[in-house]
Amino acid sequence: MAVRTAVVVGAGIGGLAVAGALARSGWQVTLLEQADRVRPEPTAVVLWPNGVRALRALGLGAGLDAVATPLPDGGIRRPDGHWLVQPRATPPERTPVVVHQEDLHDAFVAGLGDRVDLRTGVTVRTVRTGGNGRPWVGDGHQQHEADLIVAADGVESVIRRQLAPEAGVVASGSATWRAVIPWYRAPRIPADQPLGGEILGAGYRFVSASLGDRGSAGGTARGGVYWVATAAGAPRPEPAETQLGLLRRWFAGWPAPVDALLAATEPADLVQQEVRELRPLPRQYAFRSGPGGVVLLGDAAHAMPPHLGQGACLAFEDAATLQSLLREARLPDAVTGYDRTRRPRVAAVVRQTRRMSAVLQTRGRLALRARDAALGPITTRLLGSAASSAAQWRPPASSA
């Protein structure tokens, strides 16, 4: 029996995860990356139970367990310290984890094996599907043909733009700054001050979490304190030092430990990102071509605001779903099944995310008062629905 072949475009966490999973299933995989080096961001990522379950289905559970730290519910406060949503006890099966992206990247790279041919410095410019032939992508010099093409090339996906041009990339009206403060620079937070949780103001948001325990590696080889700040408006063009000064001014007077964390942050720690999303979503996530086809994965398929922390989780769901269908069905049927399975799932999560985005972006004194008065019930419902959705998700073969 001939070895099945795949080309994965994009070596981010979604591309690495699916490339390794296909290789461990016996596929010969070519992984194409535009950058000259495969290098993760020096920040962290929160994985909800669906993302954790997807990684276990992909055979990456052991690597994740070695580097992840449980993230208890820290509640939501206003900038004046008043509780909008009190912290709640969360069952283990609904508790998310936080993991340093460099640790996660190392685990994924270790799982690639010798069936993955990683090629860097390759910019894919063209994709061809249709007819009786296998799909292929081209970089202007060479065509890479395979039974299956996986487009994991991010929000600006060239492959999606050609196959699903109706999906446009739009700015969500805000930017985020993320950083990990290593333990040797992290401030000591008094026991009576919550380190985790979320603080929500008028167009501003601050979230923090601990990566392991001070004084030891804890759950991660790269311990410290992870924080994310969100502010309404466009990304800032100034140098990182100026951006950090702006953040300290914008969040001055917010409840502890915000001031202390920003004071301990250095400009080199900052990673700024404009929040962008796909509107509308693609009408298809998979395209048959001869005996195989092309599928969209991760941000290439469903980039969305980060307010429910589901971006990476959905990418891992995509990979686990694809792997499961490829094991259970012929390749053309698996391609069709991927589209049929993923579109309603993604649409439901995107709706939840957009509802939360509307809540978080409230501006104006009266609107803020109304939001804060209703935030407890609204947020509890939204987060409860999102948590239930995350806790209940299973790869297709596991849900039968």
Side-chain angles (χ1 to χ4, degrees):
M1 182 178 178
V3 175
R4 294 192 290 183
T5 59
V7 170
V8 177
V9 182
I13 55 177
L16 288 171
V18 74
L22 290 171
R24 290 189 294 276
S25 299
W27 289 64
Q28 190 65 44
V29 181
T30 300
L31 178 56
L32 305 178
E33 168 56 37
Q34 181 175 354
D36 292 332
R37 292 177 56 192
V38 178
R39 181 169 48 192
E41 291 181 341
T43 62
V45 61
V46 173
L47 298 178
W48 291 84
N50 54 320
V52 173
R53 190 172 293 116
L55 289 181
R56 295 196 189 286
L58 292 169
L60 295 166
L64 177 65
D65 290 342
V67 296
T69 301
L71 183 62
D73 186 338
I76 304 176
R77 291 178 289 166
R78 291 193 319 213
D80 62 6
H82 176 77
W83 285 105
L84 293 170
V85 180
Q86 291 277 353
R88 295 169 298 171
T90 307
E93 66 274 12
R94 292 199 174 197
T95 300
V97 299
V98 59
V99 58
H100 201 293
Q101 288 213 58
E102 292 179 353
D103 288 334
L104 197 61
H105 173 269
D106 290 349
F108 288 174
V109 169
L112 290 180
D114 57 7
R115 284 182 172 268
V116 177
D117 177 17
L118 173 59
R119 304 183 189 181
T120 58
V122 178
T123 301
V124 169
R125 304 179 187 279
T126 308
V127 59
R128 287 290 182 269
T129 62
N132 297 322
R134 298 195 303 170
W136 57 264
V137 293
D139 60 9
H141 304 284
Q142 182 180 359
Q143 292 180 6
H144 304 271
E145 183 180 284
D147 299 313
L148 177 68
I149 306 289
V150 180
D153 49 344
V155 64
E156 296 290 353
S157 171
V158 171
I159 295 176
R160 186 200 64 248
R161 288 181 183 275
Q162 295 185 30
L163 297 182
E166 72 279 359
V169 180
V170 300
S172 295
S174 60
T176 65
W177 287 262
R178 294 175 290 156
V180 172
I181 308 171
W183 282 128
Y184 73 88
R185 275 198 280 115
R188 293 189 176 274
I189 308 300
D192 61 345
Q193 294 180 2
L195 173 58
E198 176 177 336
I199 307 171
L200 183 61
Y204 296 88
R205 184 188 193 196
F206 197 95
V207 181
S208 58
S210 174
L211 287 164
D213 298 318
R214 184 187 296 272
S216 67
T220 172
R222 298 175 174 91
V225 178
Y226 171 54
W227 63 258
V228 184
T230 304
R236 304 296 303 199
E238 298 92 346
E241 184 175 2
T242 303
Q243 293 177 30
L244 184 56
L246 287 171
L247 290 169
R248 289 168 177 166
R249 189 171 77 227
W250 292 340
F251 291 94
W254 280 42
V258 175
D259 283 346
L261 293 180
L262 290 176
T265 302
E266 296 183 353
D269 299 329
L270 283 185
V271 175
Q272 181 188 208
Q273 183 177 22
E274 182 179 24
V275 178
R276 295 180 295 168
E277 60 183 299
L278 294 184
R279 281 182 181 259
L281 293 171
R283 287 194 291 265
Q284 290 178 249
Y285 289 152
F287 309 83
R288 289 178 60 162
S289 181
V294 178
V295 300
L296 306 180
L297 183 145
D299 281 350
H302 42 66
M304 69 187 75
H307 305 312
L308 291 178
Q310 282 294 317
C313 295
L314 284 186
F316 299 146
E317 280 190 24
D318 293 341
T321 299
L322 181 62
Q323 175 186 252
S324 178
L325 293 171
L326 290 171
R327 287 174 174 171
E328 299 294 327
R330 295 171 53 251
L331 178 53
D333 295 333
V335 171
T336 301
Y338 178 84
D339 179 62
R340 185 175 59 247
T341 303
R342 293 309 294 159
R343 276 192 294 114
R345 166 64 177 166
V346 167
V349 175
V350 169
R351 281 195 300 272
Q352 293 173 336
T353 300
R354 288 176 180 169
R355 290 184 192 126
M356 181 59 74
S357 182
V359 171
L360 298 178
Q361 292 179 359
T362 302
R363 306 292 292 273
R365 182 178 301 175
L366 293 178
L368 279 170
R369 286 179 179 174
R371 183 203 67 182
D372 290 352
L375 187 61
I378 290 174
T379 304
T380 299
R381 286 199 304 272
L382 283 173
L383 294 182
S385 176
S388 295
S389 178
Q392 293 169 5
W393 180 85
R394 299 288 188 282
S398 302
S399 61

